[in-house]
Amino acid sequence: MWLNDNAGVLMLIGGLLIVAMLAVALWILFALRSQFCVQKLKFTGLYATDRVTRTKYASLTIGNRSVREIAVKEIGIKNGGVAFDLTALYRYKTGLDERAHIVIEQRYSIDFSLSVDELKSLLTDEKGGRLGTLRLYAVDLMGNFYQGRIAPVRKLLADTIRLHNTIGTQKHTVSAPEQKTDR
């Protein structure tokens, strides 16, 4: 008798439970799909200082967030719209053969660092150049392009250029001889 009197309420509660379980199942399905089907790289660039020598450098990390390995054909930095290939430099620093593939394993990352001098030689010309938005990029063997902003590295480079320009103007004003005029 109680079941017959409350059948509508029981159906409503049962329906809500089924809808809730379906929503949780869809959420799990899409979360797993993004882990298996979508390959994503995460880019991190840090403005770092060596603990002992106090020299400044850029620490760059490329992380693989998916559960598949990604073989990378090219790694580089973009300054605005201009790309600078760092693949040969990365291979040299890590001791890889020039024909070896750079493979980022699943849920793993690769790291490398660039000194301030390497950054300046790559990203500016002798006049100082224009410093645009810096992005770390990678191109995999399939031709997929991944990129991410590295604003702290831009700050490191901008601070270094500003310091270099300040020192240059101080040297210029100090080295200029005083001219005397006799009247």
Side-chain angles (χ1 to χ4, degrees), residues 56 116-117 120 158-176:
K56 297 178 180 169
V116 173
D117 293 332
K120 281 176 31 181
D159 290 348
T160 304
I161 291 171
R162 188 177 314 112
L163 180 66
H164 179 51
N165 289 343
T166 303
I167 291 171
T169 57
Q170 287 176 355
K171 284 182 181 179
H172 180 62
T173 57
V174 169
S175 64

Side-chain angles (χ1 to χ4, degrees), residues 3 6 8 18 30 46 56 62-63 67 69 83 101 103 107 110 112 122 128-129 136 145 148 150 152 176-177 179:
L3 285 175
N6 297 316
I18 290 173
F30 284 114
L46 299 175
K56 297 178 180 169
I62 302 173
V67 292
E69 294 179 344
H101 292 296
V103 177
R107 312 298 279 170
I110 59 172
F112 62 103
L122 284 170
L136 186 60
F145 182 78
I150 50 174
Q179 297 178 358

Side-chain angles (χ1 to χ4, degrees), residues 50-113:
D50 187 84
R51 182 180 57 83
V52 176
T53 63
R54 298 292 185 211
T55 56
K56 297 178 180 169
Y57 63 95
S59 176
L60 304 171
T61 303
I62 302 173
N64 182 1
R65 296 169 56 183
S66 70
V67 292
R68 290 186 176 177
E69 294 179 344
I70 297 177
V72 177
K73 177 172 63 171
E74 182 178 337
I75 297 171
I77 293 179
K78 282 177 61 179
N79 181 9
V82 181
F84 298 93
D85 187 8
L86 300 175
T87 310
L89 183 63
Y90 173 78
R91 285 187 175 133
Y92 172 74
K93 285 187 172 195
T94 57
L96 289 175
D97 185 48
E98 67 181 47
R99 293 170 291 161
H101 292 296
I102 301 168
V103 177
I104 307 173
E105 296 177 10
Q106 66 265 12
R107 312 298 279 170
Y108 197 70
S109 64
I110 59 172
D111 310 317
F112 62 103
S113 61

Side-chain angles (χ1 to χ4, degrees), residues 111-148:
D111 310 317
F112 62 103
S113 61
L114 294 173
S115 68
V116 173
D117 293 332
E118 289 172 331
L119 278 172
K120 281 176 31 181
S121 69
L122 284 170
L123 301 176
T124 60
D125 54 14
E126 28 318 304
K127 298 176 187 173
R130 182 180 172 274
L131 189 58
T133 302
L134 291 185
R135 297 182 188 276
L136 186 60
Y137 74 89
V139 178
D140 68 6
L141 294 178
M142 298 290 294
N144 297 322
F145 182 78
Y146 308 95
Q147 67 179 352

